[in-house]
């Protein structure tokens, strides 16, 4: 199968029926993505993997689960992070899942799943529904399979594979100088669910069956580690607690967040949670007060400025948000999500000077993150504003391509090809998008037609049944 055929198949996953009750969305946040790799990369290295080749995706789903799909992709449910008591429990699961990649365990595909189709930058909010791309391929700068996911593509486990993943995970943790008790503690937490009816079990229990023998075997391996009994790394654990606080503040109702993180909690985690809770409750002044307190605690933390900038921007104070976003970008110049937030704010002013200044910022963001369709959207708007219509067409094609909308991608790729000279890099890029999107669009049309015929058939059969004489 060629690269283009693979990518066409990837796009096709976006339109297949969702087997679960609702679509899951991928949560994007610059700080979270940086932390997940910072804390997990030592485990990947211990397993002999290249950390840059392992793609991590955080899903908005309150159930406890993590799973591996084809290639080196690990999907993590937000519920798993919220359920872990400390960073070592989370890393125990990551070590287990890493073996499923490093050990070459078989992956099966069940029902494919479509994910939310709107990519949105999130700086203030942790989890706008988004499609997360893995990176460029074969110099074409096109997305990897992370842009789509199959909800049912879970590891086809066997008892042997699960046991191997336990023991290998313990070895990875030891090589990374991480105590393994966290893995045992988390598995013990889940083991009690095995007595529940399957509908009430978390997906991790169903796809990773636990038993006392496995846990006892794992305990023997963990106890021999020279790092047994050590407490979690305080720096990593603090970052993990902040991540949990941000997730709760974004995902849960403000009343619950403010109960779990009361005003008496003046830690960074407590203030983080309340920033999101107040923002969600439209209490702008309270949210800004907490953001300012965070900045006072850590004046060089780019994510605190990012939060404050987003609060100001979403509250209509765009001019005030600009210097705050610029400070965040200066502190974290290689975070494309933060750069996109600045670019969005500049574009929204519709000021000629700021619009021109936004272009190189958004161009850099899209170079670093090809699947950031929100950055492409704002870049296209800026191009059009300054009269670069051909570039606007290509950026719009990129936007729809990264969002898994092949029909719209075809239209704008054709416009770009007509606007650029044949053989130029821009023309060739538009051609790449056109080739892949045309195939995906045709598959989409065929699938939708098949679905319509099936629905018509069912309606006809239902009408015939209910209309027949008794």
């Amino acid at each position: 199968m060629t690269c283009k055929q693979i990518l066409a198949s990837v796009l096709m996953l976006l339109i297949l029926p969702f087997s679960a009750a609702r679509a899951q969305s991928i949560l994007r946040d610059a700080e979270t993505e940086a932390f997940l790799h910072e804390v997990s990369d030592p485990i990947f290295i211990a397993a002999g993997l290249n950390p840059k080749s392992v793609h991590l995706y955080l899903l908005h789903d309150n159930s406890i689960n993590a799973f591996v799909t084809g290639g080196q992709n690990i999907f993590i449910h937000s519920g798993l992070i919220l359920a872990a008591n400390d960073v070592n429990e989370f890393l125990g699961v990551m070590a287990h899942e890493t073996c499923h990649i490093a050990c070459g365990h078989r992956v099966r595909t069940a029902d494919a799943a479509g994910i939310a189709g709107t990519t949105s930058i999130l700086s203030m909010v942790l989890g706008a529904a988004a499609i997360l791309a893995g990176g460029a391929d074969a110099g074409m700068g096109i997305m990897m399979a992370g842009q789509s996911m199959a909800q049912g593509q879970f590891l086809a486990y066997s008892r042997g594979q699960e046991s191997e993943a336990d023991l290998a995970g313990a070895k990875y943790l030891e090589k990374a100088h991480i105590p393994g008790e966290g893995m045992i503690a988390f598995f013990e937490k889940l083991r009690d669910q095995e007595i529940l009816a399957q509908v009430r079990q978390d997906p991790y229990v169903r796809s990773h069956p636990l038993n006392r023998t496995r846990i006892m075997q794992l305990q023997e391996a963990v106890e021999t580690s020279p790092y047994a009994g050590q407490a979690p790394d305080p720096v990593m654990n603090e970052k993990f607690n902040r991540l949990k606080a941000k997730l709760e503040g974004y995902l849960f109702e403000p009343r619950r967040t403010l109960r779990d993180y009361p005003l008496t909690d003046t830690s960074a985690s407590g203030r983080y949670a309340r920033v999101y809770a107040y923002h969600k409750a439209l209490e702008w002044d309270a949210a800004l007060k907490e953001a300012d307190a965070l900045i006072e605690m850590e004046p060089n933390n780019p994510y605190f400025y990012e939060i404050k900038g987003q609060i100001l921007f979403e509250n209509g104070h765009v001019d005030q948000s600009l210097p705050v976003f610029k400070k965040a970008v200066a502190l974290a110049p290689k975070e494309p999500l933060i750069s996109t937030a600045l670019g969005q704010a500049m574009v929204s002013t519709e000021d000629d000077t700021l619009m021109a200044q936004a272009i190189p910022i958004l161009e850099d963001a899209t170079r670093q993150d090809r699947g950031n369709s929100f950055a492409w959207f704002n870049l296209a708007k800026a191009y059009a504003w300054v009269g670069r219509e051909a570039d606007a067409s290509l950026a719009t094609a990129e936007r729809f391509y990264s969002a898994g909308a092949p029909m719209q991608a075809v239209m704008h790729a054709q416009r770009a090809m007509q606007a650029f000279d044949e053989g130029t890099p821009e023309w060739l890029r538009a051609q790449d998008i056109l080739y892949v999107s045309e195939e995906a669009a045709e598959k989409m049309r065929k699938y939708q037609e098949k679905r319509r015929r099936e629905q018509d058939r069912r309606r006809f059969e239902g009408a015939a049944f209910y209309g027949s004489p008794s």
Side-chain angles (χ1 to χ4, degrees), residues 64-76:
I64 300 174
N65 199 18
F67 57 93
V68 172
T69 66
Q72 298 185 21
N73 305 299
I74 301 178
F75 290 86
I76 305 158

Side-chain angles (χ1 to χ4, degrees), residues 53-233:
S53 299
V54 182
H55 306 287
L56 305 177
Y57 307 96
L58 179 61
L59 298 182
H60 177 186
D61 193 308
N62 289 334
S63 63
I64 300 174
N65 199 18
F67 57 93
V68 172
T69 66
Q72 298 185 21
N73 305 299
I74 301 178
F75 290 86
I76 305 158
H77 283 203
S78 56
L80 185 147
I81 292 176
L82 291 170
N85 289 337
D86 57 44
V87 69
N88 282 357
E89 289 192 5
F90 171 71
L91 289 176
V93 176
M94 293 300 294
H96 178 100
E97 296 301 314
T98 298
C99 174
H100 288 319
I101 296 175
C103 301
H105 291 167
R106 182 170 62 89
V107 174
R108 67 175 170 85
T109 304
D111 300 317
I115 66 174
T118 303
T119 302
S120 174
I121 182 67
L122 66 91
S123 297
M124 170 58 203
V125 290
L126 177 64
I131 299 170
L132 178 59
D137 189 5
M140 297 192 304
I142 45 186
M143 312 166 306
M144 297 181 68
Q147 289 178 277
S148 61
M149 57 161 286
Q151 168 67 13
Q153 194 177 31
F154 295 101
L155 184 74
Y157 64 81
S158 69
R159 291 187 182 276
Q161 286 181 348
E162 290 303 297
S163 179
E164 181 184 11
D166 292 342
L167 298 178
K171 290 181 180 179
Y172 303 154
L173 292 171
E174 182 176 332
K175 287 183 180 180
H177 302 176
I178 300 168
E181 286 90 349
M183 183 190 295
I184 296 174
F186 199 79
F187 284 177
E188 286 279 17
K189 188 180 301 182
L190 293 175
R191 192 173 67 87
D192 295 336
Q193 287 199 11
E194 289 189 317
I195 63 175
L196 300 177
Q198 191 173 78
V199 70
R200 295 171 57 200
Q201 291 176 340
D202 277 298
Y204 201 85
V205 176
R206 298 196 296 271
S207 57
H208 300 71
L210 301 165
N211 57 60
R212 188 61 192 166
T213 301
R214 272 185 56 198
I215 292 178
M216 291 178 63
Q217 184 183 41
L218 181 58
Q219 284 175 327
E220 294 178 4
V222 166
E223 288 171 357
T224 61
S225 168
Y227 308 101
Q230 291 187 5
D233 178 272

